[in-house]
Amino acid sequence: MAEPKLLFACLPTPSQMLLIEAALGHGDRAAAAWAGWEREFQLDHPDEGSFRLLPLVYRNLHTQGLTGPEWNRLKGIHRRAWSENQVLFHRVRPVLEELRAQDIPVMLLKGAALASLVYPDAGCRPMRDIDILVPVKRARDLFENLEARGWKPAYWRPREIAGGFLAFRHAMDFSGPEGGQIDLHWHALNLCCHEAADGPFWSHAEPLEFCGVPLLTCHVTEHLLQVLTHGIVWSAVPPVRWVADAVLLLRSDEAVDWQRLVATCRAWDLSPYVHCALEFLNRAFALGIPAWALDALERAPVSAATRAEFARACAPMARRTAWQDLLSFYARWRRSLGGASPALHAHGFVRHLQYAFELQSVGALPGLLVRSAVRRLADRQSA
């Protein structure tokens, strides 16, 4: 069954919404949603984003005393996710213990934190890595320390980890020599690589024990902000579990500070991302999202650069002009300035483009831009 084209390619498809209903719903509606999805799509070939929801589907139906087709296979998927997470936690724990021993503040983010705080058990939230946030001033040392211990960056990195790179990228995945993965964040948000944007995460942090190691995690408000801004962005692996993350956060006992959330979005020009995500959640679930907050986000001033960035982030395969692409790069770079004048830091944008195109030197940038322009012209002429 073909999926209809959605306005935003980052939002769940109808089939994924069936799974979300089975994972988060109650009674006959949850059971019917699971039976409908399994009958139509079966367990043999789900997309990876849908597969990540299956452990939560099992736990939700099992808790309500419900069953359905392929029940034993679904139970096995949950059990495997729990086991794999335990192995991951065990392999990452020594790094966390060492950071604590060095008195480095460590904040647990995303999957591992949410699995502990709002999911029924650790098997319900499959994850490939452990996300941790450290102060940006310690990031370069930790980057080098991990590499010295045999941890390998999963992505391209420049030869030198300079301040410009730390203001371009928010995090880097590392793979351990004996397995295990850490996503080392020096900024909390992928869209805001500036220390000031990390401020609410640290100032409202709360204690959390993880595998016996005392760490920090962020307030539910910042958890929700991170989930929405990360989840609403298109990914080759459909990031539909952001919906489960957000719903469980909003159903938790801890209340979101909506005023702080709106103020943060306005301050960092994030309103389109968060409004789109919350509006979708408000239509799909009864979560008590305040109407005034949705209205404030919708009415918030948004720069032309952020509008271009948002369009590109939600549907990157759509055809765009070189100017629109440049604006989207500019939007993220401007946030990294933390309010400083772009005109006085124009050289930083050139460095930002160097990192965006994964070049080892600024000198290689002109040739790449010329080749890109030639390709665009050829594509336009052949269209």
Side-chain angles (χ1 to χ4, degrees), residues 98 102 140-151:
E98 182 175 332
Q102 297 174 15
R140 186 182 291 108
D141 291 340
L142 294 180
F143 205 111
E144 295 172 353
N145 181 270
L146 284 171
E147 289 187 310
R149 295 176 55 182
W151 289 71

Side-chain angles (χ1 to χ4, degrees), residues 28-295:
D28 292 342
R29 286 188 61 183
W34 165 244
W37 183 90
E38 203 283 327
R39 183 173 56 251
E40 188 72 35
F41 297 95
Q42 302 182 353
L43 276 173
D44 294 327
H45 304 291
D47 65 80
E48 187 173 347
S50 296
F51 188 82
R52 291 171 172 176
L53 289 172
L54 295 177
L56 183 60
V57 170
Y58 165 75
R59 181 59 189 264
N60 184 49
L61 298 181
H62 175 71
T63 300
Q64 299 181 63
L66 304 171
T67 61
E70 298 284 3
W71 190 248
N72 287 333
R73 290 181 65 189
L74 195 62
K75 180 179 180 180
I77 291 170
H78 172 269
R79 183 176 299 172
R80 178 176 178 178
W82 185 91
S83 299
E84 290 178 345
N85 280 350
Q86 300 308 310
V87 172
L88 174 63
F89 298 166
H90 174 75
R91 287 173 172 167
V92 170
R93 178 179 172 177
V95 175
L96 302 179
E97 289 177 325
E98 182 175 332
L99 295 179
R100 285 286 303 168
Q102 297 174 15
D103 290 327
I104 298 174
V106 180
M107 185 179 297
L108 199 64
L109 301 174
K110 299 173 71 175
L114 296 176
S116 300
L117 293 170
V118 298
Y119 275 81
D121 63 60
C124 293
R125 182 48 163 83
M127 62 197 83
R128 291 182 174 178
D129 55 29
I130 303 297
D131 293 82
I132 62 172
L133 173 67
V134 299
V136 66
K137 294 177 181 177
R138 305 300 300 269
R140 186 182 291 108
D141 291 340
L142 294 180
F143 205 111
E144 295 172 353
N145 181 270
L146 284 171
E147 289 187 310
R149 295 176 55 182
W151 289 71
K152 303 293 185 183
Y155 306 117
W156 175 88
R157 58 154 292 181
R159 283 187 289 267
E160 179 185 358
I161 305 300
F165 181 73
L166 298 179
F168 164 73
R169 189 184 287 279
H170 71 293
M172 176 71 81
D173 272 322
F174 286 86
S175 298
E178 298 179 357
Q181 287 188 298
I182 292 176
D183 194 2
L184 176 66
H185 291 244
W186 46 90
H187 295 298
L189 299 171
N190 61 332
L191 298 174
C192 287
C193 295
H194 192 276
E195 194 171 4
D198 305 327
F201 284 79
W202 291 110
S203 62
H204 298 282
E206 300 177 345
L208 176 68
E209 185 173 292
F210 178 71
C211 295
V213 183
L215 303 174
L216 297 170
T217 194
C218 46
H219 187 267
V220 65
T221 306
E222 282 65 46
H223 270 305
L224 183 63
L225 175 64
Q226 187 178 57
V227 164
L228 299 182
T229 54
H230 279 66
I232 201 63
V233 174
W234 183 93
S235 172
V237 176
V240 293
R241 66 181 172 191
W242 76 266
V243 177
D245 290 347
V247 170
L248 291 175
L249 280 167
L250 289 166
R251 287 178 178 174
S252 68
D253 294 333
E254 195 169 6
V256 173
D257 186 332
W258 292 104
Q259 289 187 341
R260 187 164 84 235
L261 182 70
V262 170
T264 301
C265 292
R266 291 175 63 93
W268 296 101
D269 207 7
L270 298 174
S271 299
Y273 294 90
V274 176
H275 178 262
C276 176
L278 287 178
E279 188 179 57
F280 165 77
L281 293 172
N282 207 40
R283 290 196 310 268
F285 306 93
L287 297 170
I289 299 171
W292 71 261
L294 288 170
D295 184 63

